[in-house]
């Protein structure tokens, strides 16, 4: 049996979360066109009869601007240290030299596959040029092209991954999909809807803390706090006469019900915590270790 840890690295918006979801055929990581959607390291456990792969989706690699960013980059550093194989994900339409500089700076101690993503609309020699560019790099054992969104090339990529993994016993029981709790994923699904519904700045100033998760006979009762930095942001989240928070609750509830496979009663509260992104105590309370 092949088993191993395969960690996904790349710039913000390269498609890391979409790739994790494509591997798992399950929505584990939230997805948004906005950058820096992923803040935590999210593991997906893919178990078949002859292999178990533990994938990690990591935050996009950025220069930290405040403590929250530092925590995000610490989770990237942790993922560098415990991988059996690294997937270096590149958006085909990104600056390839910039991606190369980032990958070179990682100082990888494990084999790496360069995965060129978003190939579905590739024209002319663009894809061929990108493949040739990365083939020459010392850190790239192989270069594989995929469309995570359209699930093109995923099976081929899996075969390449398995060729690099060691043999061993599985780390997790067969039916586990992640090492994270349902409560964590509920908070992420609420946060995803904030990214969908609100203007550019709001999602980056918010986080979600699930305060209550109670399974009753006919439904699951969930209470969650949405944390913002300023009263004006609270006003935007609530909307006129509470219209926006109501819309947010409806959309989030629908996504959570799909995820848990049960009816959900969802209550949302908005709380102001000035400068929470730079406050060590708040960050720990909100799950950013």
């Amino acid at each position: 049996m092949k088993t191993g840890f395969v960690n996904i690295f790349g710039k913000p918006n390269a498609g890391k979360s979409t790739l994790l979801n494509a591997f798992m055929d399950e929505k584990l990581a939230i997805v948004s066109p906005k950058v820096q959607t992923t803040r935590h390291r999210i593991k997906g456990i893919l178990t078949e009869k002859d292999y178990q792969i533990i994938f990690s989706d990591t935050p996009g690699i950025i220069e930290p601007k405040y403590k929250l960013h530092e925590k995000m980059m610490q989770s990237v550093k942790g993922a560098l240290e415990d991988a059996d194989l690294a997937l270096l994900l590149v958006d085909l339409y990104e600056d390839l030299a910039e991606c190369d500089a980032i990958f070179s700076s990682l100082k990888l101690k494990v084999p790496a596959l360069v995965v060129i993503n978003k190939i579905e609309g590739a024209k002319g020699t663009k894809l061929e040029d990108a493949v040739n560019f990365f083939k020459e790099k010392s850190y790239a054992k192989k270069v594989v092209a995929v469309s995570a969104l359209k699930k093109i090339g995923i099976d081929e990529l899996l075969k390449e991954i398995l060729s690099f993994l060691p043999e061993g016993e599985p780390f997790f029981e067969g039916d586990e999909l992640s090492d994270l709790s349902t409560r964590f994923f509920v908070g992420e699904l609420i946060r995803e809807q904030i990214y969908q519904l609100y203007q550019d700045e709001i999602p980056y100033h918010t986080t979600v803390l699930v305060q209550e998760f109670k399974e009753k006979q006919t439904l699951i009762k969930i209470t969650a706090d949405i944390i913002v930095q300023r009263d004006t942001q609270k006003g935007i989240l609530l909307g006129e006469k509470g219209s926006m928070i109501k819309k947010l609750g409806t959309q989030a509830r629908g996504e959570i019900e799909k995820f848990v496979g049960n009816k959900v009663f969802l209550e949302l509260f908005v709380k102001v915590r000035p400068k929470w992104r730079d406050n060590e105590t708040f960050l720990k309370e909100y799950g950013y270790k």
Side-chain angles (χ1 to χ4, degrees):
M1 179 150 185
K2 293 255 187 166
T3 61
F5 290 81
V6 176
N7 301 343
I8 308 167
F9 303 96
K11 288 179 68 180
N13 251 8
K16 296 179 294 298
S17 299
T18 307
L19 182 61
L20 174 67
N21 292 342
F23 282 134
M24 298 301 300
D25 205 20
E26 182 87 31
K27 186 176 175 181
L28 285 185
I30 65 173
V31 176
S32 161
K34 296 182 174 75
V35 297
Q36 294 168 37
T37 307
T38 301
R39 291 179 182 167
H40 299 267
R41 182 179 172 187
I42 296 172
K43 287 197 188 89
I45 303 159
L46 182 61
T47 305
E48 298 293 345
K49 68 178 191 304
D50 51 357
Y51 65 82
Q52 184 179 83
I53 306 171
I54 300 99
F55 290 104
S56 276
D57 174 23
T58 61
I61 298 164
I62 51 169
E63 278 295 321
K65 289 183 180 160
Y66 36 80
K67 275 195 169 63
L68 172 61
H69 281 169
E70 287 170 18
K71 301 278 184 192
M72 288 159 64
M73 291 309 98
Q74 279 168 21
S75 71
V76 172
K77 189 169 180 287
L80 282 168
E81 288 165 2
D82 66 14
D84 291 297
L85 178 69
L87 300 185
L88 306 178
L89 194 64
V90 179
D91 178 337
L92 177 60
Y93 300 94
E94 277 283 2
D95 181 329
L96 302 186
E98 206 174 287
C99 295
D100 173 45
I102 288 171
F103 298 153
S104 299
S105 73
L106 293 176
K107 297 182 172 58
L108 290 163
K109 296 182 175 70
V110 297
L113 302 179
V114 172
V115 182
I116 298 172
N117 190 25
K118 306 186 184 179
I119 64 166
E120 61 270 23
K123 290 187 172 67
T125 63
K126 191 163 187 64
L127 178 55
E128 187 186 344
D129 293 344
V131 169
N132 289 334
F133 177 84
F134 284 107
K135 260 185 183 171
E136 305 302 314
K137 306 303 172 186
S138 58
Y139 51 75
K141 293 288 183 190
K142 285 266 179 80
V143 181
V144 185
V146 302
S147 166
L149 186 64
K150 302 288 187 185
K151 296 188 179 176
I152 298 165
I154 299 299
D155 290 341
E156 291 81 356
L157 178 54
L158 265 175
K159 282 177 195 162
E160 291 290 354
I161 288 167
L162 288 167
S163 72
F164 285 92
L165 293 188
E167 291 186 359
E169 292 300 309
F171 292 91
F172 296 92
E173 294 297 322
D175 59 349
E176 288 185 77
L177 285 178
S178 180
D179 62 340
L180 294 165
S181 66
T182 304
R183 184 185 280 245
F184 168 83
F185 288 110
V186 164
E188 288 289 276
L189 289 169
I190 296 167
R191 201 164 63 82
E192 180 179 48
Q193 293 310 310
I194 294 169
Y195 274 80
Q196 302 283 357
L197 282 173
Y198 294 91
Q199 58 183 280
D200 286 350
E201 88 164 56
I202 292 293
Y204 300 107
H205 291 260
T206 60
T207 195
V208 175
L209 186 61
V210 176
Q211 297 284 19
E212 183 183 29
F213 185 95
K214 273 191 185 164
E215 296 191 50
K216 304 198 170 199
Q217 279 188 332
T218 54
L219 54 71
I220 299 171
K221 183 172 187 285
I222 298 168
T223 305
D225 292 340
I226 300 170
I227 311 298
V228 293
Q229 299 206 108
R230 295 193 290 272
D231 284 316
T232 50
Q233 293 164 349
K234 180 176 179 176
I236 293 166
L237 269 166
L238 292 172
E240 194 176 343
K241 296 180 180 173
S243 59
M244 287 302 290
I245 196 79
K246 190 175 177 185
K247 190 174 181 183
L248 172 62
T250 301
Q251 291 190 194
R253 190 182 72 243
E255 290 301 311
I256 295 165
E257 285 179 343
K258 277 191 258 179
F259 185 77
V260 299
N262 206 341
K263 284 280 180 198
V264 166
F265 174 79
L266 177 63
E267 267 191 305
L268 298 176
F269 299 92
V270 184
K271 297 192 174 171
V272 179
R273 298 286 183 270
K275 297 186 178 175
W276 70 263
R277 296 182 302 177
D278 250 329
N279 184 304
E280 195 72 39
T281 306
F282 284 151
L283 286 168
K284 279 183 181 165
E285 184 188 345
Y286 305 152
Y288 301 101
K289 306 295 186 198

